[in-house]
Amino acid sequence: DQQVKQNSPSLSVQEGRISILNCDYTNSMFDYFLWYKKYPAEGPTFLISISSIKDKNEDGRFTVFLNKSAKHLSLHIVPSQPGDSAVYFCAASPQTGANNLFFGTGTRLTVIP
Amino acid sequence: DAGITQSPRYKITETGRQVTLMCHQTWSHSYMFWYRQDLGHGLRLIYYSAAADITDKGEVPDGYVVSRSKTENFPLTLESATRSQTSVYFCATQDRGPYEQYFGPGTRLTVT
């Protein structure tokens, strides 16, 4: 039973354009959300996070939006660069407890030069 | 300073064998985690530890054993490997609080 869902397994975007990666969750107890980026043969690396008390968080070219009522978050990358080509995982966590992360299945982003 | 390391990076073993995957951190983070990554499932939590000598089950613990006698080490043992345990295994650490987790490079395990 996947509590965090990424329904698009892949996305292709032209260099310079906006990439939008989407994520939905089912557990209303989730309070903290993260995006990870993963290159082949490497571990996931943290990209950006957002707490449920916010609806937007920006870090350079990366912005995460959270819509709690819809249980939906998205990652915007502007402008997209070829080095952004990777698999992106959405993750969610309740702030209480042991800080377990529940991951989505990932979206493979390809940025075309 | 490597931060978090995993060994071996690649392992092939036979069904029924015991195999141990190692994880070592240099940060002294309180929390350590073991995940497996499988196509169609993303990353799933196997076991986690809040401190030395404190461990708990995650989403998919069956067939795995962990221990944490020292803060910096968190080995994962497959007592009798099965083909369904063929996967990529990631160790991760986290400092106290709702902060991000830091992942190791992974161990690709194949059970034949």
Side-chain angles (χ1 to χ4, degrees), chain B residues 15-62:
Chain B
T15 299
R17 298 262 189 174
Q18 181 180 81
V19 60
T20 296
L21 310 183
M22 303 301 295
C23 178
H24 175 78
Q25 60 145 332
T26 60
W27 294 312
S28 299
H29 284 172
S30 299
Y31 289 95
M32 295 188 77
F33 304 84
W34 275 105
Y35 292 90
R36 59 179 289 175
Q37 183 193 4
D38 303 289
L39 207 60
H41 290 281
L43 286 92
R44 292 180 293 174
L45 182 65
I46 304 170
Y47 268 97
Y48 63 95
S49 169
D53 297 321
I54 301 174
T55 62
D56 209 345
K57 296 177 180 179
E59 183 183 355
V60 288
D62 293 344

Side-chain angles (χ1 to χ4, degrees), chain A residues 66-109:
Chain A
L66 175 63
N67 182 335
K68 279 201 74 175
S69 61
K71 295 190 179 68
H72 177 83
L73 63 156
S74 61
L75 175 69
H76 293 211
I77 307 173
V78 183
S80 300
Q81 299 173 354
D84 296 330
S85 297
V87 177
Y88 289 78
F89 289 99
C90 169
S93 173
Q95 284 195 350
T96 55
N99 301 306
N100 305 6
L101 288 182
F102 293 84
F103 283 84
T105 51
T107 297
R108 181 178 301 279
L109 173 66

Side-chain angles (χ1 to χ4, degrees), chain A residues 6 8-13 19 21 35-45 47 62 75 77 80-89 105-112, chain B residues 37:
Chain A
Q6 294 176 258
S8 299
S10 63
L11 174 69
S12 291
V13 171
S19 295
L21 294 91
W35 284 94
Y36 281 81
K37 176 179 179 178
K38 185 182 179 307
Y39 293 119
E42 295 183 10
T45 55
L47 196 57
F62 302 91
L75 175 69
I77 307 173
S80 300
Q81 299 173 354
D84 296 330
S85 297
V87 177
Y88 289 78
F89 289 99
T105 51
T107 297
R108 181 178 301 279
L109 173 66
T110 302
V111 180
I112 304 163
Chain B
Q37 183 193 4

Side-chain angles (χ1 to χ4, degrees), chain A residues 32 36 41 43-44 46 98-99 105, chain B residues 9 40 48 94 98 100-101 103-104:
Chain A
Y32 189 67
Y36 281 81
F46 170 74
N99 301 306
T105 51
Chain B
R9 292 294 313 277
Y48 63 95
Q94 180 180 344
E100 60 268 20
Q101 293 182 10
F103 284 80

